[in-house]
Amino acid sequence: MYVFFNNNPQGLRIGDCVVRALSAALNQPWERTYVDLCIEGFMFSDMPNSNAIWGSYLKSKGFKRYVVPNTCPDCYTIGHFAEDHKTGTYIVATGNHVVCIKYGNVMDNWNSLNEVVAYYFVKENE
């Protein structure tokens, strides 16, 4: 279920989870994703890793945002989400982290399976 993934060209592991997750979900290089997010951020005068900017970028790529029901706000983890979503491509957000889940595989540079899910994006018509 957890798959090590770090396509940062310098091998850095902190501060770029949005870029890594989106590049994995979109099957595009880290550099292209970073530049695209910077352009999006420039257009809206916001930082490239702000929720509004990467959310807008994902929507332009055919993703739709959903909120996780608040039935158990502290217990629905990334691991649970991956188990429940074995098909499709998802971007999952916690309070301070973003990760790509493809076909039930959590693609991250650390084992984030126990982080609690706040909301997610899914690629529509996949």
Side-chain angles (χ1 to χ4, degrees):
M1 182 158 38
Y2 164 70
V3 176
F4 178 81
F5 177 80
N6 185 8
N7 65 343
N8 180 297
Q10 297 296 316
L12 301 177
R13 298 173 53 104
I14 297 174
D16 69 337
C17 64
V18 169
V19 179
R20 280 186 282 107
L22 273 60
S23 67
L26 297 169
N27 296 315
Q28 62 189 31
W30 185 97
E31 297 89 343
R32 176 175 173 201
T33 306
Y34 179 81
V35 169
D36 286 354
L37 288 171
C38 285
I39 292 168
E40 188 93 5
F42 177 78
M43 291 188 314
F44 293 100
S45 300
D46 203 350
M47 298 305 292
N49 63 343
S50 76
N51 293 347
I53 296 304
W54 64 263
S56 172
Y57 182 69
L58 280 177
K59 289 175 186 173
S60 76
K61 299 291 187 180
F63 283 75
K64 187 171 180 184
R65 184 179 188 265
Y66 294 93
V67 176
V68 175
N70 200 17
T71 55
C72 183
D74 297 326
C75 66
Y76 193 60
T77 65
I78 289 173
H80 294 124
F81 187 95
E83 288 175 14
D84 292 343
H85 298 86
K86 297 280 189 193
T87 60
T89 300
Y90 300 86
I91 295 292
V92 176
T94 70
N96 57 5
H97 190 53
V98 178
V99 66
C100 176
I101 298 176
K102 278 188 172 183
Y103 300 95
N105 294 308
V106 177
M107 302 174 70
D108 206 348
N109 69 1
W110 61 283
N111 186 340
S112 56
L113 296 177
N114 291 322
E115 296 295 307
V116 176
V117 177
Y119 61 93
Y120 65 95
F121 287 82
V122 62
K123 177 78 170 169
E124 296 290 305
N125 302 319
E126 185 177 88

